[in-house]
Amino acid sequence: MIIQNNTLSNQEVFIIKPFSKINKYIEIVTTPNSLTKTDMKDDLNVELILEILSKNYEKVLVTTIKNEDDLKTLISKKPDLVFSRIKYFNFKKEKIWFSDYLKKHNIDYISSNKNAFENEYDKNLAKQIVQKENINTANFFTTQPNEHEIESLLPVTFPLFLKPEKKNNPEDINAQSVVFDFKKYQAKVLDIYNNQKSRTLVENYLSGKEYSVSILENKSKNILMILPVEIIACKNKNGHKILDFDARKSNLEEIIAITDKKIRKEVSSIAINSFRALGGKSIGKIDIKMSFNGIFHFLAADFMPSLDESYFYKAFFINENMSYEEMILKIVDTNLSTPKEIEF
């Protein structure tokens, strides 16, 4: 709202001009629960996002994609931007990567493309890619039951951290993920194979501090907003400070600002380089952990971070004092405007 002060015949006249919405058309796209899969990440609070965007943009609609015809109809409407957390659709056994489909039809979106999603989803591949860019990551290998039959065949020494190679389920990380002996190593590898149907990524356990860096990028890729925070986990039942499922579920961790300028600069640099190496676009989160001797290591990437009030949003609040509404508007704005410079 703009208030204009004019002076007429020694009297003050206040003319209140109505707030002018931005002349853009945004589609919030979701799927029915029956079609939603965990790795599609369709967990938007649609009502809240609609309320926020409708106050600021001329046309904001919600579309539910049930089939390929719905997808074609969306394309025919030619929105300026699609706001969604869907990675892909499976129609008639054909996988359609949503962001790539939108790009093909010259429609902007707020997520990465197929290549980037595949890079971050495969933890083994992600670590190989960042290693090639001379970014530190813990020593690692992949395995499955009976592949490394005796301790002397292990390429990496204890203590070890174990997780599924291609899964993003928080329940996969628990107190048994850190192992100090071969028997517990075998048990965890077997558990992941049986319950997650996955090979295991095995890496050196990093016992130092943990950091999370939220990233927001303008579509021309000339500007990156870097928002690092430190995450302080409580000790789990085995006495290890890791962000396992129980800690996340109970909100036992503490998220704080990074006040040390040197640390802030170093984790920001690792995040930028990892984001670019893995092909990230628009939004993302890079996890970084320190070893016992103070060396920072790339841990993992997430190019579709949760848009609830979790780590991604808390980084905006802690670094920029942004409200949730301001963050959502910032995400949309950066995909509709022309960026100019890199921000730290």
Side-chain angles (χ1 to χ4, degrees), residues 121-124 142 161-169 171-173 177 188 191-193 195-202:
Y121 181 70
D122 186 332
K123 299 180 181 68
N124 179 42
T142 67
F161 190 87
L162 284 68
K163 56 190 174 185
E165 181 185 21
K166 295 182 180 180
K167 295 286 183 178
N168 289 319
N169 189 341
E171 295 184 27
D172 297 334
I173 308 299
S177 296
K188 184 61 178 176
D191 175 71
I192 290 173
Y193 186 80
N195 295 313
Q196 305 300 329
K197 312 303 179 188
S198 171
R199 289 177 63 83
T200 297
L201 177 71
V202 184

Side-chain angles (χ1 to χ4, degrees), residues 65-315:
I65 302 293
K66 305 184 189 72
N67 50 52
E68 197 165 355
D69 286 339
D70 289 340
L71 189 56
K72 291 177 181 178
T73 299
L74 171 70
I75 296 301
S76 70
K77 292 157 70 176
K78 292 292 181 182
D80 293 299
L81 179 73
V82 167
F83 194 108
S84 179
R85 286 174 46 72
I86 299 170
K87 284 185 178 180
Y88 59 82
F89 301 97
N90 275 319
F91 298 135
K92 299 177 182 178
K93 297 183 179 181
E94 179 187 4
K95 182 181 286 189
I96 298 176
W97 287 86
F98 194 27
S99 55
D100 290 45
Y101 190 84
L102 291 170
K103 183 177 181 180
K104 179 181 176 182
H105 292 89
N106 298 312
I107 296 174
D108 286 328
Y109 49 94
I110 66 159
S111 63
S112 291
N113 58 23
K114 172 190 174 184
N115 183 62
F117 281 136
E118 290 182 334
N119 287 344
E120 55 106 69
Y121 181 70
D122 186 332
K123 299 180 181 68
N124 179 42
L125 175 61
K127 288 169 74 70
Q128 291 180 30
I129 290 171
V130 299
Q131 271 192 333
K132 288 180 181 178
E133 297 299 319
N134 296 315
I135 300 168
N136 289 328
T137 189
N139 294 327
F140 65 98
F141 66 99
T142 67
T143 192
Q144 63 183 21
N146 302 318
E147 189 166 319
H148 296 85
E149 296 181 340
I150 56 176
E151 183 174 344
S152 61
L153 294 177
L154 297 181
V156 178
T157 58
F158 290 101
L160 300 172
F161 190 87
L162 284 68
K163 56 190 174 185
E165 181 185 21
K166 295 182 180 180
K167 295 286 183 178
N168 289 319
N169 189 341
E171 295 184 27
D172 297 334
I173 308 299
N174 53 40
Q176 288 72 48
S177 296
V178 180
V179 299
F180 287 79
D181 60 66
F182 191 66
K183 185 176 180 180
K184 290 181 179 177
Y185 157 85
Q186 289 179 306
K188 184 61 178 176
V189 170
L190 182 62
D191 175 71
I192 290 173
Y193 186 80
N194 288 338
N195 295 313
Q196 305 300 329
K197 312 303 179 188
S198 171
R199 289 177 63 83
T200 297
L201 177 71
V202 184
E203 57 188 355
N204 275 134
Y205 170 55
L206 303 172
S207 59
K209 293 181 178 181
E210 187 157 350
Y211 304 90
S212 176
V213 184
S214 294
I215 295 175
L216 181 59
E217 180 194 39
N218 276 55
K219 61 182 180 179
S220 72
K221 297 189 177 181
N222 291 327
I223 182 172
L224 290 176
M225 190 174 187
I226 309 299
L227 305 159
V229 293
E230 180 182 344
I231 303 174
I232 303 174
C234 294
K235 289 183 179 180
N236 62 17
K237 63 183 181 181
N238 291 337
H240 305 127
K241 286 189 174 184
I242 64 170
L243 291 171
D244 59 24
F245 177 69
D246 289 336
R248 291 174 185 265
K249 183 175 65 175
S250 304
N251 292 318
L252 297 177
E253 74 275 24
E254 183 181 2
I255 304 173
I256 64 173
I258 301 175
T259 56
D260 186 301
K261 291 183 179 179
K262 183 178 179 181
I263 292 177
R264 184 182 178 88
K265 183 176 181 179
E266 188 158 357
V267 297
S268 295
S269 177
I270 292 172
I272 291 170
N273 293 334
S274 300
F275 185 80
R276 287 175 169 160
L278 295 168
K281 174 196 176 293
S282 185
I283 63 175
K285 182 171 69 68
I286 304 295
D287 296 328
I288 296 166
K289 196 162 187 186
M290 187 186 286
S291 61
F292 74 94
N293 58 350
I295 305 299
F296 295 97
H297 295 74
F298 165 86
L299 198 61
D302 183 357
F303 292 154
M304 196 171 275
S306 177
L307 292 182
D308 59 15
E309 295 191 5
S310 58
Y311 297 151
F312 187 77
Y313 163 65
K314 288 177 181 176

